[in-house]
Amino acid sequence: MAVDIPTVKKIASLARIAITEAEAARIAPELDNIMGWIEQLGEVDTTGVAPMTAVTPNHLRLRADVVNADPLTGGGIRDAVLANAPQAEHGFFTVPKVIE
């Protein structure tokens, strides 16, 4: 796919980027080169290769999801916190519905 100046201007317009004619002329070959690299990647045989989300394996370190019942360090004080709320309902803060 050849990237020409009108295509660069269209992409810039969609991205809400103001570019001049000279900038479009300078960017067109660069985008054309990038598209060539993408076409080369499409030619690579990836059968049998599992999809991955990152180059290095990422493992999440999870902790137990428990409420700390000690009122000095947090947790277990829901009623005391909700006592400060202008409105509370079913153990939650109640706020007005906002739709714009």
Side-chain angles (χ1 to χ4, degrees):
M1 173 184 166
V3 179
D4 52 359
I5 294 175
T7 304
V8 171
K9 286 185 172 184
K10 177 70 173 175
I11 293 169
S13 170
L14 292 172
R16 305 283 194 253
I17 299 172
I19 61 172
T20 64
E21 189 75 27
E23 290 172 329
R26 183 181 52 83
I27 294 172
E30 293 178 18
L31 286 178
D32 194 34
N33 193 14
I34 292 170
M35 294 302 291
W37 291 339
I38 292 171
E39 288 175 9
Q40 281 183 339
L41 288 174
E43 296 171 1
V44 175
D45 182 23
T46 57
T47 55
V49 178
M52 58 184 188
T53 58
V55 178
T56 59
N58 295 323
H59 301 286
L60 295 176
R61 294 181 299 256
L62 302 176
R63 61 173 175 80
D65 190 16
V66 295
V67 175
N68 185 354
D70 182 9
L72 296 176
T73 59
I77 57 172
R78 180 182 72 184
D79 295 331
V81 172
L82 289 177
N84 295 323
Q87 285 185 311
E89 193 174 302
H90 306 294
F92 298 100
F93 288 101
T94 305
V95 296
K97 188 174 185 178
V98 178
I99 299 177
E100 293 184 20

